[in-house]
Amino acid sequence: MYDYLVVGSGLFGSIFAHEARKVGKSVLVMDKRPHIGGNCYTENRDGVDVHTYGPHIFHTSDERIWKYVNQFATFNHYVNRPKVNYKGKIYSFPINLMTLQQLWDVTTPAEASRKLEEVRVPCANPRNLEEWILSQVGREVYETFIRGYTMKQWKRDPKDLPSFIIKRLPIRLTYDDNYFEDPYQGIPIGGYTKIFEGLLQGVDTALGEDFFADRQKWENRAKSVVFTGKIDEYFGYSCGELDYRTLNFEHHAQAGDYQGVAVVNYTEADIPYTRITEHKHFQVQDVHKIKNTVWTKEFPAEWNRDAVPYYPINDEKNNSIYSQYKEMAKNESNVIFGGRLAEYKYYDMHQVVGSALQKSRKVLGV
């Protein structure tokens, strides 16, 4: 019998397994997919490290977390500078002085500040995503960059979404177009799968196995369970189903270069995909040496319980359902819940790493 059965080989599960093995615990990691790494999984196609489940850019301000992941791979110096395509015109993004220059022909921070003051829609107490962003940048910026993209991405009107989602978006009155403000940022050379191979080295794995297909069998194989899947599924949807954002991907390969940058967002509502990712541009160290290219269209899809859950939808209804499952989880003495799905939190990668390290070290007493 193992000390721990880890359900899910994404970041939380793999880090817990690694930390447990370091202190002499026996661990079995299982995943219903045929590969490790969860949604961070990358595979090499003709020299291109393809982010199979959408682009992942690691960034953090925590030196401890940065040093931790660098144990398992060397990171390049990729800086995320996506572009926006709106009605055939390319804009600098995230919103910065160049973006506002392209829209309004302003050239200085003072001019941009005056223009924003003119166009802002006053709102003393923004109650949702739309009200908050209108109060910051006005309707033209909202319509050009935010509204259509958000409606596609979340399958909801921006009026029905919490403002914290859009507060992640930088708005700058300088020409700084680096999406993230964290000092540590990059992509692992050789892809993210290399990190998971390092984390799970020496750990028993069972891939292509569904925990829920024979739950009792799997639970009987270990003293404790680390569960990183959907918390509502764990409890048999007894308090209702949680909503998640799901995606479909359409991969293409060709010679040469497709769009000249890693990510272009398509913000018009009537274009069915939200963005196109050209993966070789993440490999800044040797992008000019790669003769072929792989590019991916990302399509939002309607959620159903058999789809792949990518992002929790933390609106009032779903948070109320999750609070009931969170209370139930307290009674599961031999189960550790962790990660984006089990905690129903919109974690970035560095936040999952931090959460996994904190919880594993608390549980393992190290």
Side-chain angles (χ1 to χ4, degrees):
M1 177 176 283
Y2 291 91
D3 291 310
Y4 293 100
L5 169 70
V6 177
V7 182
S9 65
L11 273 173
F12 189 98
S14 295
I15 289 171
F16 189 98
H18 180 79
E19 294 300 308
R21 184 179 179 275
K22 276 174 31 179
V23 296
K25 301 296 184 181
S26 58
V27 186
L28 173 63
V29 174
M30 66 176 301
D31 202 299
K32 64 181 178 181
R33 290 173 175 169
H35 59 71
I36 58 176
N39 292 340
C40 295
Y41 174 71
T42 53
E43 58 181 330
N44 191 276
R45 302 186 190 179
D46 295 325
V48 180
D49 295 323
V50 176
H51 298 220
T52 306
Y53 302 100
H56 289 77
I57 300 102
F58 200 94
H59 60 96
T60 183
S61 297
D62 190 325
E63 184 178 11
R64 177 182 60 100
I65 289 174
W66 183 244
K67 286 182 176 179
Y68 185 86
V69 295
N70 273 265
Q71 296 177 91
F72 309 102
T74 300
F75 280 69
N76 65 20
H77 300 292
Y78 175 81
V79 173
N80 193 32
R81 294 187 170 96
K83 305 300 178 221
V84 159
N85 184 313
Y86 180 72
K87 296 185 176 180
K89 183 173 181 179
I90 301 296
Y91 291 91
S92 179
F93 198 73
I95 297 165
N96 65 87
L97 191 51
M98 178 57 74
T99 317
L100 303 181
Q101 195 280 330
Q102 291 173 300
L103 274 181
W104 298 326
D105 204 29
V106 296
T107 57
T108 68
E111 289 176 345
S113 181
R114 286 194 294 270
K115 181 64 177 179
L116 285 171
E117 196 60 39
E118 289 176 18
V119 301
R120 288 187 180 110
V121 179
C123 184
N125 184 29
R127 295 165 298 175
N128 55 56
L129 187 154
E130 180 175 281
E131 289 183 352
W132 187 85
I133 194 66
L134 286 174
S135 73
Q136 301 299 305
V137 295
R139 187 157 296 279
E140 185 177 4
V141 173
Y142 172 62
E143 294 289 343
T144 303
F145 299 102
I146 308 300
R147 185 174 182 274
Y149 187 89
T150 301
M151 290 178 68
K152 292 188 294 185
Q153 187 180 41
W154 293 96
K155 295 288 185 180
R156 280 167 168 72
D157 191 292
K159 294 176 183 176
D160 298 325
L161 291 168
S163 60
F164 81 84
I165 293 172
I166 200 64
K167 288 180 179 180
R168 297 156 58 96
L169 175 68
I171 300 169
R172 303 191 185 105
L173 299 188
T174 69
Y175 288 103
D176 179 8
D177 62 350
N178 182 353
Y179 197 98
F180 303 114
E181 297 178 348
D182 300 304
Y184 307 109
Q185 181 178 170
I187 304 285
I189 296 173
Y192 281 97
T193 302
K194 185 175 181 179
I195 291 178
F196 292 93
E197 289 171 346
L199 285 167
L200 297 177
Q201 185 175 6
V203 175
D204 290 344
T205 57
L207 303 178
E209 298 282 359
D210 187 350
F211 173 74
F212 293 104
D214 196 345
R215 180 170 177 167
Q216 186 172 2
K217 180 191 83 170
W218 292 108
E219 288 177 332
N220 288 339
R221 296 195 66 181
K223 299 172 186 175
S224 298
V225 173
V226 178
F227 184 78
T228 70
K230 296 187 297 178
I231 192 168
D232 53 342
E233 185 176 19
Y234 181 88
F235 289 108
Y237 306 105
S238 57
C239 298
E241 292 192 39
L242 292 165
D243 294 319
Y244 302 85
R245 187 160 72 85
T246 190
L247 304 165
N248 292 324
F249 299 97
E250 188 180 279
H251 301 288
H252 303 265
Q254 66 181 58
D257 203 320
Y258 181 73
Q259 64 185 15
V261 68
V263 178
V264 177
N265 293 342
Y266 287 77
T267 57
E268 293 171 69
D270 57 355
I271 293 177
Y273 46 89
T274 52
R275 59 185 172 185
I276 294 179
T277 300
E278 188 171 8
H279 305 267
K280 76 176 185 179
H281 289 283
F282 291 129
Q283 296 168 249
V284 292
Q285 70 280 358
D286 53 12
V287 63
H288 299 298
K289 302 175 187 176
I290 303 172
K291 296 181 180 179
N292 301 311
T293 195
V294 178
W295 52 279
T296 302
K297 286 184 176 180
E298 187 173 308
F299 296 84
E302 293 292 342
W303 169 250
N304 65 80
R305 66 166 63 175
D306 296 319
V308 178
Y310 289 94
Y311 306 93
I313 299 178
N314 294 112
D315 59 14
E316 186 175 346
K317 182 200 85 170
N318 284 294
N319 286 342
S320 176
I321 294 172
Y322 169 67
S323 66
Q324 297 175 66
Y325 288 126
K326 186 177 180 180
E327 284 301 310
M328 294 171 68
K330 293 177 181 178
N331 297 320
E332 299 287 308
S333 58
N334 292 323
V335 183
I336 299 155
F337 296 89
R340 180 180 278 189
L341 303 181
E343 297 181 68
Y344 205 68
K345 285 185 179 179
Y346 195 156
Y347 277 134
D348 282 331
M349 284 188 292
H350 67 287
Q351 293 169 320
V352 179
V353 173
S355 173
L357 289 174
Q358 181 181 33
K359 191 161 288 189
S360 63
R361 289 170 181 171
K362 180 180 179 181
V363 169
L364 299 167
V366 294

